[in-house]
Amino acid sequence: MSDAITVTRVIEKLSSRFIPENTTAVVATFQFLLSDADDFYFSIANQQLTVALGEHQDPDITLITNSDTFIRVVTGEKDGMSAYLTGKLRAEGNVMLATQLGKYFSKEKRS
């Protein structure tokens, strides 16, 4: 199915879902280590988003999971806190940053 949500599609859509006005005081790098897909990270600074594949040398937070859990959390099928509490999602670094992620991205494409 061409509309299937994949990690690659999520990465490609991050910029179009970014809400810069909600990141006025944010300077942070979020690393995602996925056990069964490409690792990636994004950085927010000056109300701008930069996304890249691979591993950042010094992220503020690292989120560790598998692609299924990642997609379920991104789509809202699973709550991120629930995934964390059940061990399906691990966080290292400034864990409080993870609680703010929903404010930085819209579920719908922005113009």
Side-chain angles (χ1 to χ4, degrees), residues 15-21 104-106 108-111:
S15 293
S16 68
R17 307 287 171 95
F18 183 60
I19 308 172
E21 57 269 24
Y104 306 151
F105 296 92
S106 169
E108 303 298 321
K109 184 177 181 179
R110 296 172 48 90
S111 50

Side-chain angles (χ1 to χ4, degrees), residues 25-105:
V26 179
V27 177
T29 297
F30 297 77
Q31 174 74 60
F32 293 82
L33 300 179
L34 304 175
S35 61
D36 56 350
D38 290 334
D39 299 333
F40 72 98
Y41 64 91
F42 62 80
S43 297
I44 300 172
N46 301 316
Q47 294 182 278
Q48 295 188 15
L49 176 72
T50 305
V51 182
L53 290 176
E55 290 189 45
H56 190 274
Q57 289 184 349
D58 190 26
D60 296 286
I61 182 168
T62 301
L63 298 164
I64 306 158
T65 190
N66 61 39
S67 59
D68 180 60
T69 301
F70 173 76
I71 290 168
R72 292 178 69 205
V73 169
V74 167
T75 61
E77 185 179 328
K78 185 164 190 71
D79 177 64
M81 184 59 74
S82 170
Y84 177 76
L85 293 174
T86 58
K88 298 207 178 276
L89 172 67
R90 285 190 10 239
E92 298 175 356
N94 186 348
V95 179
M96 292 307 294
L97 285 170
T99 65
Q100 303 299 311
L101 271 175
K103 295 178 183 178
Y104 306 151
F105 296 92

